[in-house]
Amino acid sequence: MLPNFLDPYGNRPLTMGEIGCFLSHYFIWQDIVKNKYKETLLFEDDVRFEPYFKRKLNIITRNMVQQNLKWELIYLGRKLLRTDKEPSVPGFDDLVYPYYSYWTLSYMITYEGAKKLLDMNPLSKLVPVDEYLPIMFNKHPEKSWWEHFEPRNLIAMSVSPLLVFPTHYTGESNYISDTEDSTQIEGGSETEQPNADPSSGSGSQNQQSSEHSLKIAFDKNSMGEHGNLDPARSKEEL
């Protein structure tokens, strides 16, 4: 864990769920680099798609290929915080440069992007994965965190409007958080969340295996010749 890390809203250390979530992404980054996948599209397992998702994404990726856009990570789903600080990518009506935001619901990533994320050796200074990505594209507001990571030069963008959203939000029926409502890590030991009620559908008993919390829908050369995808207050209350 990053020294002196405390969640900015919960004023708490990392949870086991946050570590599991990070490892899910980390293992896929490793697989991308190991197999030299050119582009990969990742989804977390609790997402819903906007209508005509594939058609809209094909239009975006086709334009990216036609304009020879240089990118390493593109969000498809996240929690927006400051849209006023997110300028459009020149030449695109549907891409922006993201500011600090939450969630890693879905994103496209290149081999080069995955390698940058791994080369920083993030497991030695762990933060939640949705904090790590903004650190790496140099849009994180907390200096005491980002100063541990250098260089912070991930080329990141986001589709706008977003194409992927959570299936459930805080307070809705069947809502479960396997990151917020799980065992905390303090001083190298584990402590249970005081409000984790097994009967409420939250807590460590409902954590999903980190190995199953992500799905790779498209990999290798996911953008075809014409840029078409070929299928072969906790943070959550903001």
Side-chain angles (χ1 to χ4, degrees):
M1 187 169 70
L2 187 72
N4 302 318
F5 171 84
L6 287 176
D7 178 84
Y9 290 95
N11 194 35
R12 55 156 178 77
L14 282 171
T15 67
M16 291 293 286
E18 287 171 329
I19 294 173
C21 180
F22 192 104
L23 290 175
S24 297
H25 291 261
Y26 183 86
F27 293 150
I28 291 179
W29 303 337
Q30 284 186 320
D31 194 57
I32 292 168
V33 171
K34 176 183 177 181
N35 293 287
K36 295 183 170 57
Y37 295 152
K38 183 180 178 182
E39 292 128 2
T40 304
L41 174 54
L42 285 75
F43 298 103
E44 292 187 339
D45 62 2
D46 53 351
V47 301
R48 65 174 177 83
F49 300 94
E50 281 293 274
Y52 306 106
F53 167 83
K54 184 179 175 183
R55 180 187 303 176
K56 292 175 181 178
L57 187 55
N58 277 334
I59 292 172
I60 295 171
T61 55
R62 186 182 306 119
N63 198 17
M64 289 165 56
V65 170
Q66 290 172 349
Q67 297 200 41
N68 196 27
L69 181 67
K70 183 177 181 181
W71 63 279
E72 292 172 337
L73 182 143
I74 297 181
Y75 287 104
L76 302 187
R78 60 193 172 109
K79 174 63 178 179
L80 301 172
L81 297 178
R82 292 293 304 272
T83 56
D84 58 311
K85 292 192 173 185
E86 299 193 339
S88 296
V89 176
F92 293 85
D93 296 329
D94 41 25
L95 289 177
V96 298
Y97 291 110
Y99 187 63
Y100 175 56
S101 58
Y102 289 144
W103 304 350
T104 49
L105 299 171
S106 177
Y107 56 89
M108 299 187 292
I109 189 168
T110 65
Y111 168 87
E112 293 79 10
K115 191 171 187 306
K116 282 185 179 180
L117 296 175
L118 293 174
D119 286 348
M120 197 55 63
N121 192 21
L123 298 188
S124 68
K125 42 197 172 185
L126 199 60
V127 295
V129 67
D130 61 350
E131 305 281 4
Y132 181 54
L133 295 184
I135 287 174
M136 289 300 292
F137 57 80
N138 204 30
K139 292 297 182 181
H140 200 288
E142 183 54 61
K143 181 177 185 295
S144 65
W145 296 3
W146 59 249
E147 64 184 0
H148 294 272
F149 301 86
E150 184 68 40
R152 300 180 301 278
N153 59 357
L154 184 69
I155 303 173
M157 302 170 194
S158 174
V159 300
S160 180
L162 298 171
L163 299 178
V164 176
F165 293 88
T167 56
H168 298 86
Y169 291 91
T170 303
E172 293 182 343
S173 178
N174 297 320
Y175 169 81
I176 296 175
S177 173
D178 55 4
T179 54
E180 297 286 324
D181 302 325
S182 64
T183 306
Q184 294 181 4
I185 304 299
E186 266 189 282
S189 62
E190 302 176 7
T191 59
E192 292 292 338
Q193 287 275 35
N195 296 322
D197 177 7
S199 66
S200 68
S202 63
S204 59
Q205 69 172 21
N206 296 297
Q207 293 176 34
Q208 300 172 7
S209 166
S210 65
E211 296 167 357
H212 299 290
S213 64
L214 285 176
K215 300 174 183 176
I216 304 181
F218 309 102
D219 58 22
K220 294 188 178 178
N221 297 314
S222 59
M223 291 187 191
E225 180 181 354
H226 303 292
N228 292 329
L229 284 168
D230 182 13
R233 32 200 277 324
S234 68
K235 294 177 182 178
E236 294 161 4
E237 294 172 332
L238 294 177

